[in-house]
Amino acid sequence: MSSLESLRQLLQQSHHARPDDLPEMAMRAAPLLDARVLVIYLVDHQQRLLLPLLGGSAPAREPIDVDGTLAGRAFSTASTCVGSGDDDGVRVWVPVVDGNERMGVLEVVADSAPDDDGLDDCGAVATLLAELITTRSLYSDRIELIRRRQPMQLAAEMLRAQLPPLTFSTGHLIISGILEPCYDVGGDAFDYAVNGDIAHLALFDAAGHGSSGGMRAVVLVSIALAAYRNARRTGLDLTDTYHLIDNTVRAHDRYGMITAVLAELDQRTGVLRVISAGHPSGIVLRGGKVAKVLPTPTALPVTLGDRRPPTVVEEALEPGDHVLLYTDGIIEARTRDGEAFGMDRLVEFTTRAFADRLPLPETARRLVHAILEHQDDCLQDDATVLLAEWRSPAPDRSDLEAISAVARHPLLTES
């Protein structure tokens, strides 16, 4: 049966589907792919385990480690992996990806290895399941509860609801962020948006991690996030955006303080514009080496912005360049003996990951896990990373109009 029919049947079932119905929907789709079993696995919030989403006729399954397993390789590399299965059959692991956001994997158990068309069909079903997981998560806590491995503190609950997806790509630019600890965050947050040719990036680190269970810091950074988005959607430039955030946070808490980095990247030209408000330096990496350590500070921390005007720094990127933004919890992470992770380790780890051609979200995942390992899985401060890769210049408007004209050609629009 064709993948189109598989997708059609899944779509027909999806209109009234709950997250609890997804395991059975996947199992019913298995015969359409000449498979015996389809099982959905979701990645936990720390991205260490793949957790089965079970129900209906889905067979019993145990969690699978991301590191050191074939299923984990499919997740890490966002590529399909084929291995041996039960009873001399095969087991195919298909990444479940919503856009570029890695949700988990789909286990496909079949009597024989699918051909290329069959693998494409599995990928199409996995993509639709990813969309259903994402949309159904808006109406139920089932998906969220499966992904949690321990209770989430109130401050973390409040902050994580405001973060964007961990990964996004336009084809010309990919952005990936990650924040630890998952269940008891302080005042770190990141945000991004792509409006037309301009990609907006922001990282915040609010003081007050230990006060009232971290709530003061989370309230401060929540206000900063809202002000940042309001400025962005009002069309303010980078300088005015900084002032709006500064004025808004100070009006709420004149004694609060947030370090921040605000950046804009033009996808056509590669021009990066940055304000560093008392925040650690960002890094531009090119060809596996540090090409530029961005100046800092170029502005005072938020709530002190009325004392000195900010300076906007410009840097011209080249295709393939990476921009690494991070909070001080990354380089200040310390072992029990007091040895800091430091800038040198950060640069060495990141350049090695890029040399190994790891996907950007996998680089961010492994970096934060390296920070956790350095501190024996007990972070003293939040560790947040925001990575961006400018892959190629985005086409100008005339190019897009030409592409649109081709798409409207009668030969392509015949039913």
Side-chain angles (χ1 to χ4, degrees):
M1 189 173 291
S2 70
S3 60
L4 181 61
E5 180 60 26
S6 304
L7 296 177
R8 182 181 293 118
Q9 291 199 22
L10 278 173
L11 283 170
Q12 288 174 348
Q13 299 173 48
S14 73
H15 296 302
H16 303 287
R18 307 163 299 164
D20 307 76
D21 300 321
L22 297 181
E24 181 62 26
M25 288 173 59
M27 287 296 295
R28 290 180 182 179
L32 306 179
L33 299 175
D34 295 325
R36 301 198 304 264
V37 170
L38 293 186
V39 177
I40 302 166
Y41 290 76
L42 302 170
V43 71
D44 78 305
H45 281 305
Q46 291 184 306
Q47 299 188 28
R48 294 186 182 276
L49 290 172
L50 294 164
L51 308 167
L53 177 61
L54 301 177
S57 60
R61 289 290 189 267
E62 295 297 324
I64 301 173
D65 288 331
V66 170
D67 296 321
T69 65
L70 199 60
R73 186 190 304 173
F75 172 82
S76 298
T77 62
S79 61
T80 298
C81 296
V82 181
S84 59
D86 301 325
D87 302 325
D88 297 324
V90 297
R91 181 172 278 109
V92 181
W93 298 100
V94 186
V96 175
V97 181
D98 179 31
N100 273 75
E101 175 77 346
R102 304 180 301 177
M103 310 294 296
V105 295
L106 178 66
E107 177 191 11
V108 182
V109 180
D111 293 324
S112 59
D115 57 17
D116 289 344
D117 288 340
L119 291 175
D120 287 344
D121 293 345
C122 292
V125 169
T127 298
L128 177 55
L129 289 172
E131 296 286 345
L132 293 175
I133 290 167
T134 301
T135 57
R136 295 312 180 266
S137 296
L138 300 174
Y139 314 119
S140 170
D141 295 324
R142 173 75 189 281
I143 302 297
E144 176 63 24
L145 290 173
I146 289 175
R147 297 187 65 194
R148 295 186 181 190
R149 302 294 292 168
Q150 64 187 68
M152 188 167 289
Q153 299 302 309
L154 181 58
E157 190 83 59
M158 181 175 174
L159 179 59
R160 286 196 167 274
Q162 302 177 68
L163 297 181
L166 297 183
T167 304
F168 174 74
S169 174
T170 67
H172 303 279
L173 172 75
I174 183 167
I175 302 167
S176 190
I178 192 166
L179 184 156
E180 281 282 356
C182 285
Y183 301 102
D184 190 18
V185 300
D188 281 15
F190 66 88
D191 196 26
Y192 64 81
V194 178
N195 297 315
D197 295 318
I198 304 300
H200 307 263
L201 310 169
L203 208 58
F204 300 97
D205 184 1
H209 297 66
S211 59
S212 303
M215 285 301 295
R216 183 190 182 196
V218 168
V219 169
L220 286 174
V221 82
S222 297
I223 294 170
L225 279 171
Y228 175 63
R229 290 167 179 168
N230 182 257
R232 205 174 62 209
R233 293 162 185 170
T234 307
L236 300 185
D237 63 21
L238 211 54
T239 298
D240 288 340
T241 296
Y242 166 78
H243 283 305
L244 179 62
I245 297 170
D246 180 76
N247 292 334
T248 304
V249 175
R250 186 170 57 253
H252 171 77
D253 186 347
R254 62 180 298 182
Y255 300 109
M257 187 170 295
I258 304 173
T259 67
V261 57
L262 309 174
E264 293 177 349
L265 175 60
D266 191 321
Q267 295 182 86
R268 297 169 303 159
T269 64
V271 171
L272 177 71
R273 305 176 73 247
V274 182
I275 291 176
S276 180
H279 203 80
S281 297
I283 303 173
V284 177
L285 298 112
R286 178 176 302 146
K289 298 180 181 179
V290 176
K292 179 76 172 183
V293 176
L294 298 171
T296 189
T298 65
L300 293 174
V302 167
T303 70
L304 301 177
D306 57 337
R307 303 184 183 183
R308 191 180 77 194
T311 299
V312 178
V313 173
E314 288 195 1
E315 181 69 20
L317 302 186
E318 297 180 5
D321 280 0
H322 295 85
V323 178
L324 170 61
L325 306 176
Y326 56 92
T327 57
D328 55 12
I330 295 289
I331 56 175
E332 294 178 3
R334 296 182 181 276
T335 63
R336 292 181 180 179
D337 297 331
E339 182 183 359
F341 191 81
M343 178 67 76
D344 290 343
R345 277 195 181 91
L346 174 63
V347 171
E348 179 185 358
F349 181 96
T350 308
T351 54
R352 187 170 63 248
F354 292 150
D356 292 341
R357 299 185 181 278
L358 292 177
L360 208 64
E362 183 62 13
T363 297
R365 183 186 81 91
R366 295 191 187 187
L367 174 57
V368 170
H369 286 180
I371 301 296
L372 284 164
E373 183 178 349
H374 189 75
Q375 285 197 198
D376 295 326
D377 284 341
C378 185
L379 287 177
Q380 299 168 358
D381 192 4
D382 291 2
T384 306
V385 170
L386 189 60
L387 278 165
E389 178 186 357
W390 185 53
R391 294 181 166 179
S392 61
D396 61 27
R397 191 167 300 277
S398 60
D399 292 332
L400 293 174
E401 290 172 352
I403 293 170
S404 178
V406 171
R408 294 193 300 270
H409 193 281
L411 291 177
L412 298 178
T413 56
E414 287 181 350
S415 58

